[in-house]
Amino acid sequence: MLCLLALLLVGLLVAVEQSGLFDTVTGRNVRNNAPIFQDYERGSIPFVDADGKSVFVAQIHPNSPQILTGFPSYASTKFRLPVDSRPESGTYDISFAADAVNGAEGALRITINGIKRAETVLQHGTFRQRVRVELTPTELAAGELDVRLALVGQGPMAECTPNQAIAAVLTVLPETGLRLRLDKSPESIRDRLALWGDLIPVKWNGEKAADTGTLLNAARLAERGYGLYFGDGGFSAASLADITKGAPLRVDGLPQLTYPISLVSQVENAGARRFDRETTWRFRYNASQLPNGELPSAVDLRMMLGPVAGTRTSLFVTLNNHLLLTRALGDTDERFANSLALPAADHLDRNELEITLTSRLEDETRCGAMRLIAAEMLPDSVLRGGGERLVTEAARLRAALGPKAAVAFRTGELSAPQAHSVALLLADLHPDGLTFGGAQPVATVQAITGDLDAAIRRVQPTGQQWLMYFPTDEREGAWVVPFSSRPALGDTDVALLVTINRPAIVQPAPAPSPTASATARPRATADAAR
């Protein structure tokens, strides 16, 4: 009998173990599914509800998924509200997936137009949550809503926790956005653009050949600062042409800068921060934004810090991953002021300046102890002008084309992702200033796809030619290189070959350095006449 009972008990234990009950009781569920990260590009396509008055404006743009990592971390989004159809009521709905370690004490803070509107405490473990904030009449009457998210709190300070430990991660989900009730159905182009979040869906089903009208109109909209999404639903060539007639230039998408340029003009750099271990300010600028293409000659850093006594606090400054400054800070640096030269050779078409503060306690025996440091970048932290003038290969190409040049455009079959890339590359040619078609085109633009290295080998060099392509990611911008350099395009799927059909007087491109790699990113050069 005892043997029988023992066998029954063993069988029961095996069955329970296989069912996962022990894991559930002890808080260890090994059968949890892997986390699912949704397609934020497809999910970010905004839509208008069926009744025409209830609308949804997505928060997440295909070029910028929002993920907040660690304490503190920040994200921001601006919503443009319709003008001709006025909002009567509305809510800001945020859905997010979060993962917080045991012992983390944190909250998500929501601020709208500078007013703190909501906070929700993070749970421990992996979870999803939704928060709804009713918009006030003042907010509904505004022309736009500036929504800022902040992940604030602190992680567990267990003994010998690594300084780089991340206590929480939060991902904003695609269904996040504004839900508005309007007084009438939106019909004007400016209202439709606002409700789309300036992201225009372009209809492109499967492989399509020579649909140049759709591509060129999409490129013109991209040139004006609008986002594009090619897919099954959206607008075809005729509708896109109508939209281009009423679509204003989005200067807020890529504003023209004027020296001195304040680093806190980018909202994420403004205001005081309290941090443990590390925090970074980033300032991004494009060469095309600079006045007359003039590079900044220096950056003036003005910061307030404290308290730094009893800590090892250091400052690091980089420009495009090139180190400009490393400095250990002491008690006398609580009001920090320094000016750094910005070498012209370290500049690219798209630039990122990073200022990083790190802080640790001097007492190494207090492993894992936390010491908060307060820091603020002051408004007189600026980029100063006076640098060399940029002459990029893109500028040389556009000069070779000339104003209102007649251009022949050729393409074969393109998938939706390939068509999207072609439209963005065409946008860099400034298609609003070109005429496509005509009997005697000044230049020929050919879209090439597939095995680009093999396709380039088949091209017969003639006159002035350039290649335009995205070497890694469309968000990093296009590279423009002389065809004579024959770059190795690797896994790149789409490129434009631009051939000038007549001689043009342009500034000659500088000779490549004999030590430069064929795959190295092309850097802008200074104008020798300056």
Side-chain angles (χ1 to χ4, degrees):
M1 177 63 72
L2 289 176
C3 292
L4 181 59
L5 288 175
L7 289 173
L8 289 174
L9 180 59
V10 169
L12 179 61
L13 289 174
V14 170
V16 169
E17 173 65 24
Q18 290 178 345
S19 71
L21 181 59
F22 281 158
D23 293 326
T24 303
V25 171
T26 60
R28 298 182 298 107
N29 190 350
V30 297
R31 297 181 182 276
N32 280 345
N33 293 326
I36 298 175
F37 296 92
Q38 293 174 267
D39 178 357
Y40 69 90
E41 287 190 348
R42 187 174 301 278
S44 66
I45 300 302
F47 60 89
V48 177
D49 289 343
D51 65 3
K53 293 183 179 180
S54 296
V55 299
F56 170 77
V57 185
Q59 171 167 338
I60 303 178
H61 191 281
N63 286 345
S64 54
Q66 292 188 325
I67 301 174
L68 287 76
T69 304
F71 299 125
S73 52
Y74 308 91
S76 64
T77 299
K78 286 188 177 181
F79 294 97
R80 291 173 54 211
L81 297 181
V83 175
D84 302 312
S85 301
R86 294 306 305 164
E88 295 180 332
S89 62
T91 60
Y92 169 69
D93 295 359
I94 178 171
S95 298
F96 61 89
D99 191 356
V101 302
N102 289 332
E105 297 178 357
L108 176 66
R109 177 181 300 157
I110 303 170
T111 302
I112 300 178
N113 286 357
I115 305 297
K116 185 165 67 173
R117 297 285 276 109
E119 285 189 331
T120 182
V121 175
L122 300 183
Q123 305 171 28
H124 292 157
T126 302
F127 64 96
R128 292 193 176 202
Q129 191 169 334
R130 299 187 65 182
V131 176
R132 172 166 292 181
V133 181
E134 291 192 5
L135 300 177
T136 67
T138 301
E139 292 163 347
L140 291 168
E144 67 178 20
L145 298 180
D146 181 10
V147 177
R148 302 187 187 185
L149 307 176
L151 194 59
V152 295
Q154 64 183 37
M157 298 308 298
E159 185 176 1
C160 295
T161 298
N163 283 344
Q164 294 80 14
I166 296 176
V169 177
L170 185 148
T171 302
V172 179
L173 300 176
E175 56 265 31
T176 297
L178 292 185
R179 297 190 182 275
L180 302 174
R181 180 72 180 180
L182 307 178
D183 61 356
K184 60 180 179 181
S185 176
E187 296 178 355
S188 67
I189 288 179
R190 63 176 176 176
D191 278 2
R192 291 161 67 190
L193 289 174
L195 294 174
W196 291 332
D198 292 330
L199 174 65
I200 299 174
V202 179
K203 188 173 184 178
W204 197 277
N205 297 322
E207 299 278 348
K208 298 182 70 172
D211 190 354
T212 58
T214 296
L215 287 171
L216 295 178
N217 285 312
R220 292 186 178 102
L221 288 166
E223 179 189 5
R224 299 181 194 185
Y226 295 92
L228 303 173
Y229 185 84
F230 282 68
D232 296 339
F235 300 96
S236 56
S239 299
L240 291 174
D242 290 338
I243 294 172
T244 59
K245 295 174 184 177
L249 181 68
R250 284 193 63 221
V251 294
D252 57 325
L254 195 64
Q256 292 300 304
L257 303 174
T258 303
Y259 290 117
I261 302 167
S262 175
L263 301 186
V264 300
S265 61
Q266 295 183 356
V267 295
E268 59 269 25
N269 292 332
R273 298 186 182 184
R274 297 171 185 83
F275 71 96
D276 170 49
R277 302 180 179 93
E278 181 177 304
T279 189
T280 298
W281 293 264
R282 294 177 177 86
F283 187 83
R284 300 175 177 89
Y285 56 96
N286 288 9
S288 59
Q289 295 177 270
L290 301 174
N292 299 318
E294 181 183 297
L295 288 174
S297 61
V299 56
D300 294 340
L301 287 182
R302 305 289 185 264
M303 307 179 74
M304 290 190 68
L305 311 171
V308 296
T311 69
R312 293 183 297 154
T313 301
S314 300
L315 177 71
F316 306 89
V317 182
T318 62
L319 174 63
N320 299 326
N321 289 325
H322 290 269
L323 193 61
L324 302 179
L325 172 72
T326 62
R327 178 167 170 177
L329 304 181
D331 296 353
T332 59
D333 294 311
E334 290 193 353
R335 191 172 182 93
F336 179 81
N338 203 343
S339 296
L340 304 174
L342 298 177
D346 289 344
H347 274 88
L348 304 170
D349 285 354
R350 290 164 175 81
N351 303 279
E352 181 173 81
L353 181 70
E354 289 192 347
I355 300 97
T356 299
L357 277 175
T358 64
S359 182
R360 301 181 183 179
L361 286 171
E362 287 183 348
D363 185 0
E364 290 288 351
T365 63
R366 297 182 60 190
C367 183
M370 183 179 66
R371 173 70 176 270
L372 286 178
I373 300 295
E376 180 176 1
M377 180 176 288
L378 301 177
D380 50 351
S381 293
V382 297
L383 297 179
R384 288 194 279 109
E388 299 176 344
R389 188 167 68 87
L390 280 180
V391 180
T392 64
E393 285 299 333
R396 297 174 193 269
L397 169 56
R398 287 193 286 267
L401 289 171
K404 298 297 180 183
V407 175
F409 176 59
R410 300 172 182 170
T411 180
E413 290 188 349
L414 300 173
S415 65
Q418 289 172 334
H420 184 261
S421 296
V422 168
L424 295 183
L425 290 170
L426 285 171
D428 272 5
L429 286 177
H430 294 184
D432 268 347
L434 302 174
T435 301
F436 288 85
Q440 293 182 322
V442 169
T444 300
V445 179
Q446 180 180 354
I448 52 179
T449 61
D451 186 347
L452 299 191
D453 289 327
I456 288 174
R457 286 193 295 269
R458 292 193 294 268
V459 173
Q460 295 296 322
T462 173
Q464 300 177 61
Q465 293 177 300
W466 282 267
L467 279 170
M468 302 177 64
Y469 61 100
F470 297 111
T472 53
D473 192 310
E474 292 169 357
R475 288 165 287 195
E476 298 297 323
W479 289 14
V480 181
V481 297
F483 180 77
S484 57
S485 67
R486 297 292 182 97
L489 301 186
D491 295 332
T492 304
D493 186 46
V494 177
L496 295 185
L497 175 64
V498 184
T499 303
I500 306 300
N501 298 328
R502 59 157 173 74
I505 301 174
V506 295
Q507 187 171 5
S513 168
T515 59
S517 168
T519 59
R521 173 156 190 156
R523 290 195 175 186
T525 58
D527 187 349
R530 187 172 165 79

